[in-house]
Amino acid sequence: MIDAPGLLDVSRLLAVRESGVAGNLGAGNVDVGNVDASIARLAALLKEKRRVTVLTGAGVSAASGVPTFRGSGGLWRSFDPMTLATPQAFAKDPKLVWEWYDWRRQLIAAAQPNPAHHVIAEWSRTRPDFTLITQNVDGLHERAGTERVLRLHGSIWEVRCTGTCRSGPHVDERAPLPPDDLPPRCAGCGALLRPGVVWFGESLDPAIVAAASRATEQCEVFITIGTSAAVYPAAGFIHEARANGATVAEINPDATEASGVVDISIRGKAEEVLPRLG
Ligand code: BJW
């Protein structure tokens, strides 16, 4: 596995954080003072530049009613999502982890894409050199009609076998899952099924990481929207884009771990800011 190109890419993205290079990038350029001026600046850039790459996180789906991971809104039955999204939690209590996913699947099934999803979908249809990299597993970008979506962390609507037959991933859109079927089991071998998502400590799909890396290296404008930029390798793309000369913008109501390195910081909600970008 050591020579797999995608895994090498992951190491490089992790190294950006470890080396501290990220902290030296563009910190002097941040413009958070005037939201209207920052929106106008990004809107002008989007008119002028062709190659645009967007990275999204859970905040993009907040207005659709899907909880984010960090902060009090992410809690479920007083569990911290960060402790549930791990192979260790699944090994210890697969029923508990599946109950959390079943709850989220029901919320997402009832949710609709919001104006932020729709603007991004429109960009993907009208801009030939547009790529969306998303950390979200909810499928709302796809439901809004976004093309060329690179899903770094998988899909909550896919399941795969953890047993010897290793079947899957395959789509299972039942929400809720039948209570007697929690945790669900493989029809082929009877082993536990697991959600088709990427948990902490697990490798991302090397082909998707490679495609995201290419889109990051080639873009002129990189926009990070609704992510705390706390999870790698996803957050590494923000630093990669800056290091490759792209203008980097952030849209988020709060400061994030990337705020100090972006060129344009728009402190606002995705569903309100994106429709103003045209
Ligand atoms: C709004 C808004 C509105 C609110 N509008 N905004 C030390 C250094 C570097 C890396 C590591 C390290 N130690 C460990 C690592 C690696 C680890 C990692 O990054 N850990 C960090 C905690 C430090 N990464 C991994 O393990 C990854 N794999 C990996 O690295 O493999 C290679 C490898 C393996 C083994 C050894 C060595 C290398 C895998 C990461 C998988 C993450 N998985 C999850 C769960 C997915 C499944 C599921 O959904 O259940 O992905 S965790 C969770 O975090 C989820 C998200 O996609 C991800 C990012 O969260 P996101 O989207 O940013 O959400 P929040 O809640 O954090 O932020 C929301 C933001 O929205 C906030 O900023 C709000 O302000 C904002 N907001 N309303 C706009 N209306």
Side-chain angles (χ1 to χ4, degrees):
M1 291 295 281
I2 205 141
D3 58 352
L7 288 181
L8 290 178
D9 284 340
V10 170
S11 314
R12 187 161 47 82
L13 292 168
L14 290 172
V16 170
R17 178 186 166 126
E18 301 300 339
S19 69
V21 170
N24 298 328
L25 293 171
N29 282 332
V30 186
D31 172 9
V32 291
N34 183 334
V35 170
D36 289 342
S38 299
I39 291 175
R41 190 173 159 208
L42 181 55
L45 257 176
L46 288 171
K47 280 209 174 77
E48 184 194 326
K49 305 291 186 189
R50 283 168 49 94
R51 298 194 303 277
V52 176
T53 294
V54 166
L55 170 71
T56 60
V60 161
S61 297
S64 299
V66 182
T68 58
F69 289 87
R70 290 162 189 85
S72 56
L75 294 179
W76 168 78
R77 291 194 207 163
S78 80
F79 288 96
D80 176 354
M82 294 306 101
T83 63
L84 292 167
T86 65
Q88 292 78 10
F90 187 72
K92 186 175 164 207
D93 194 343
K95 186 162 189 277
L96 176 77
V97 171
W98 260 114
E99 282 171 352
W100 179 53
Y101 277 94
D102 192 42
W103 171 73
R104 289 172 61 204
R105 284 161 61 108
Q106 290 176 63
L107 281 179
I108 294 164
Q112 296 301 324
N114 67 57
H117 295 110
H118 289 303
V119 169
I120 292 168
E122 178 69 9
W123 288 347
S124 79
R125 288 190 292 263
T126 56
R127 293 174 166 273
D129 294 315
F130 176 89
T131 303
L132 174 64
I133 307 169
T134 188
Q135 299 167 84
N136 298 348
V137 300
D138 56 29
L140 289 175
H141 282 303
E142 292 86 341
R143 276 170 56 193
T146 308
E147 297 168 7
R148 297 184 297 285
V149 184
L150 297 173
R151 277 200 314 251
L152 293 176
H153 296 161
S155 168
I156 202 165
W157 299 113
E158 290 179 0
V159 296
R160 64 174 194 271
C161 178
T162 60
T164 44
C165 86
R166 299 259 163 214
S167 75
H170 65 266
V171 172
D172 180 344
E173 292 183 327
R174 290 174 300 161
L177 288 161
D180 293 345
D181 202 13
L182 277 181
R185 291 192 171 270
C186 175
C189 72
L192 286 172
L193 291 173
R194 59 160 284 175
V197 299
V198 182
W199 285 324
F200 281 115
E202 295 183 325
S203 294
L204 286 71
D205 181 330
I208 293 176
V209 173
S213 223
R214 271 197 305 277
T216 300
E217 279 163 18
Q218 290 166 3
C219 71
E220 296 161 288
V221 180
F222 185 98
I223 314 176
T224 169
I225 310 173
T227 175
S228 58
V231 173
Y232 284 73
F237 293 119
I238 302 168
H239 307 297
E240 285 262 303
R242 194 64 173 67
N244 279 298
T247 301
V248 179
E250 173 175 74
I251 301 171
N252 197 308
D254 295 323
T256 75
E257 297 200 17
S259 296
V261 305
V262 302
D263 299 288
I264 304 172
S265 177
I266 302 175
R267 292 280 165 83
K269 294 181 174 178
E271 66 277 14
E272 293 170 2
V273 171
L274 281 163
R276 295 181 58 193
L277 290 170

